[in-house]
Amino acid sequence: MLALRLSLGSHPAVQLRRFLVAAASAGTGFLLLSALGHALAHPDPSVSALRLAWCAAPLAATVYFAVAVARTDPGTRPRPGLSAVGLGPARLMAISAVTTAVSCLLGSALALLVFLGLRGDLAAVPFDGAGTDFLAAGRPLPLPAALTLLALVPLSASAAVATALRPREPVTGAPRVPRVHGRFGAYRRTPVRESFGAYGRFGRQFGPSARGRRTAAAPEQEGAAEGAEGAAESAGVPPAAARTTPSGLPWGITVLAVGLAVEAFASRPGPGAPVDRPAVLLGLALACVGLALAGPGLTHLCGRLLQTIRPGTLRLLAGRVLMTEATRLGRPLGVVCAVMSAAYAMASLHEREDTSSAPLVALGVLLVAGCTVATLLTAAVESRQARAETTAALRRLGAPAVTLRRAAALRAGVLLALFGPLSLVVAELSAWPLTG
Amino acid sequence: MVAPPDNDVLWARALHFRHDDGSPGLSGVSLGVREGEILAVGGPRGSGKTTLLRCLSGLLPAKSGEVWFNSVPVHTMTPVARERLRRERFGWIDPAPLLVAELNVWENAALPLMLRGTGRRRAKTAALEWLERLDIGDTARRHPEELTHAERQRVCIARALAPAPSVLFADEPTAPLHRIDRAHVLRTLTTAARSHGITVVLATHDAQTAALADRTVSLLDGRRVHTLHLPPLPGTAETEGLAACSLSV
């Protein structure tokens, strides 16, 4: 009940995001139902199983989008006031899972209605047109099977949301700088390794760190308590991104290269069209996974390049923010690139078409592309929410809004300039062995 | 319209402000801030100190009343002009150190200078000088989350002082600190302001903090008052109050 109240009383933009989740869920549910209808109409189970397997891509995209929307939902974020009355992170996790389930269930119900309507179970006249054998119009629909398939999206989305938003205790009291007492400088913390003679080396003790030696040691003790307070204060916004370099870039490039190599190896001239071999699809999938893995690293690299060599305010703000938000923005961006290049590769080699499944393929492609792009936009919203306080502080300093807007535009432009050609190149490379 | 006195750098007359939800903020506050002085705005929580500072610095437009800065009317300025005034002439210190987490300490301190269009090298030099003066020069290359709260607050002070503002607004700069850190932060702030002739408007609810200032203006419920001594509660025994608050009476 509280979940419903919280979801009804929220901002129109939030409702729009939830509505989009419901729409994606409806599309996926319709695809699943049409796989069922195909299985009813055709005796051969292998083709229907293949169709059902292809539904995994829209399902994954829908779940991914639902998780991104649940992350940005301001209604289910930990709030100090609610936490004080006992509605802590655990209950809020349950609430966001329920909210996600409700919107996905709405979508599933819509899908069922549309499917039944097209079959002619609700209206007297079934939808009549080319390629409607997936509706299995003449046969009775097994209701348990349909409901099981329709429950797939809400259940998996809720489970994914609950896993993604499970309450995690912030590690308080852990020292931020590893405390290592060197062997020589007994009163100074030296996180770097001290080798023999390192202390007495000439010039070592003249630097600024040596000068601040006496003052730096005292106020460190309160750090943990202040950090805990800060965490409690900023509970209303998404957690700030950790300032670490994402490590996926080498792996991403490796997997991408392996995928392209597998594809090229599998599409040697031989019997049968190269498109039908599973190894080719495996290669394409590996290339996509590699692109998605490399996304955060590439975003971080963009930010790093943007802020090198004497940056002014604009480049500094744009680049550093990109470096910090690399994981949050880079992963959906990599996924979008992967989907785009896969769609490009698939489109360039699909001349052979059975017209019966063309609308369903179009619906699936639209779903996957729409969900990934919407996830990317939602991630941008989340990053903006996380940085709202900093932006307010900058505005209080008198930073002109034009500068902040220009920094955001610069970020978007740089990302587009890197990822657009990159996904085109990958798409061309993955389509090349198939068409040649 | 009364012309403001010449020796006041900041001058406000009959400021009225009402928050968006209708709760009263300020009702008729007038004050003048002389050049180079440290003015403490005292009063308990909720007395309108922060609102007054925001109105004076042009962050909030007052509903009625006048604010003059160096014989320039602030209350008639457009938002863009006020933003520019804040950038070029004013400094602001928050109660909590809100630093840009992506930038390191010296970049944070140099940010207002760079926003004004100063070159990177000069901004860096000025920022490093101020960080050295505030005893945090050795943390210049670290990131804000590696520092303690008091150190971050000092970085905020360096950030506010580095562009040499005409007026520095400090809104309870020491509220979340322990007393040792509080004294240190305040001493550095007041010393720096006095030695560089920066006018400071310091909001505080602490009498000890207000004692460091040249002059104190007290607010109570959005009005300027001359004494802050509230009438004592009748009777001294706690049990009486307890009985009055008890539900069983």
Side-chain angles (χ1 to χ4, degrees), chain B residues 1-24:
Chain B
M1 185 184 284
V2 185
D6 287 341
N7 56 349
D8 282 1
V9 61
L10 196 66
W11 186 80
R13 186 174 150 269
L15 278 179
H16 286 265
F17 183 81
R18 188 172 281 275
H19 290 283
D20 286 338
D21 55 354
S23 49

Side-chain angles (χ1 to χ4, degrees), chain A residues 266-364:
Chain A
S267 56
R268 283 169 307 169
V275 184
D276 293 331
R277 294 178 206 157
V280 172
L281 282 182
L282 178 73
L284 197 57
L286 274 182
C288 288
V289 168
L291 206 48
L293 274 181
L298 285 175
T299 312
H300 191 267
L301 191 69
C302 267
R304 173 154 297 222
L305 286 179
L306 201 57
Q307 57 93 46
T308 43
I309 316 177
R310 310 202 158 277
T313 325
L314 189 65
R315 278 200 294 141
L316 197 61
L317 282 178
R320 288 295 171 80
V321 171
L322 215 49
M323 281 165 73
T324 316
E325 301 283 320
T327 311
R328 196 173 347 224
L329 288 181
R331 184 138 309 140
L333 195 56
V335 171
V336 166
C337 277
V339 166
M340 291 301 163
S341 54
Y344 184 89
M346 297 291 249
S348 64
L349 58 89
H350 264 280
E351 305 87 44
R352 52 121 215 177
E353 253 336 304
D354 44 343
T355 50
S356 67
S357 61
L360 290 185
V361 167
L363 177 63

Side-chain angles (χ1 to χ4, degrees), chain A residues 363-399:
Chain A
L363 177 63
V365 168
L366 193 71
L367 262 182
V368 173
C371 276
T372 45
V373 169
T375 307
L376 176 60
L377 294 181
T378 314
V381 169
E382 186 189 357
S383 131
R384 195 178 148 188
Q385 283 175 355
R387 293 182 35 75
E389 209 167 306
T390 313
T391 313
L394 278 174
R395 294 304 308 276
R396 227 166 302 156
L397 278 182

Side-chain angles (χ1 to χ4, degrees), chain A residues 182-210:
Chain A
R183 282 158 293 180
F184 306 109
Y187 298 104
R188 190 170 143 212
R189 278 171 284 110
T190 47
V192 291
R193 197 167 145 262
E194 282 192 352
S195 58
F196 184 73
Y199 182 77
R201 200 167 288 149
F202 179 73
R204 177 72 193 268
Q205 306 301 320
F206 294 153
S209 61

Side-chain angles (χ1 to χ4, degrees), chain A residues 176 220 243 320 390, chain B residues 97-109 139-153 155-156 159:
Chain A
R176 283 165 297 179
E220 280 290 319
R243 198 172 48 80
R320 288 295 171 80
T390 313
Chain B
L98 288 175
L99 297 169
V100 184
E102 289 89 12
L103 309 181
N104 65 24
V105 164
W106 79 257
E107 283 164 342
N108 261 303
T139 61
R141 296 205 163 272
R142 283 156 74 180
H143 276 258
E145 72 257 34
E146 299 168 23
L147 306 185
T148 61
H149 203 88
E151 285 170 328
R152 268 181 283 157
Q153 191 66 359
V155 175
C156 274
R159 178 175 73 176

Side-chain angles (χ1 to χ4, degrees), chain A residues 131-159:
Chain A
T132 53
D133 61 333
F134 64 85
L135 292 175
R139 293 155 218 274
L141 188 70
L143 206 59
L147 291 187
T148 309
L149 279 180
L150 283 179
L152 206 56
V153 180
L155 283 183
S156 50
S158 295

Side-chain angles (χ1 to χ4, degrees), chain B residues 105-174:
Chain B
V105 164
W106 79 257
E107 283 164 342
N108 261 303
L111 192 63
L113 274 171
M114 296 211 280
L115 281 172
R116 286 182 182 193
T118 314
R120 182 183 167 86
R121 189 186 299 255
R122 285 183 56 197
K124 181 175 182 178
T125 315
L128 286 179
E129 260 175 30
W130 274 107
L131 289 174
E132 278 290 335
R133 266 176 225 163
L134 294 179
D135 243 1
I136 35 174
D138 54 335
T139 61
R141 296 205 163 272
R142 283 156 74 180
H143 276 258
E145 72 257 34
E146 299 168 23
L147 306 185
T148 61
H149 203 88
E151 285 170 328
R152 268 181 283 157
Q153 191 66 359
R154 269 184 270 162
V155 175
C156 274
I157 293 176
R159 178 175 73 176
L161 286 171
S166 304
V167 184
L168 177 63
F169 296 95
D171 180 16
E172 301 254 13
T174 56

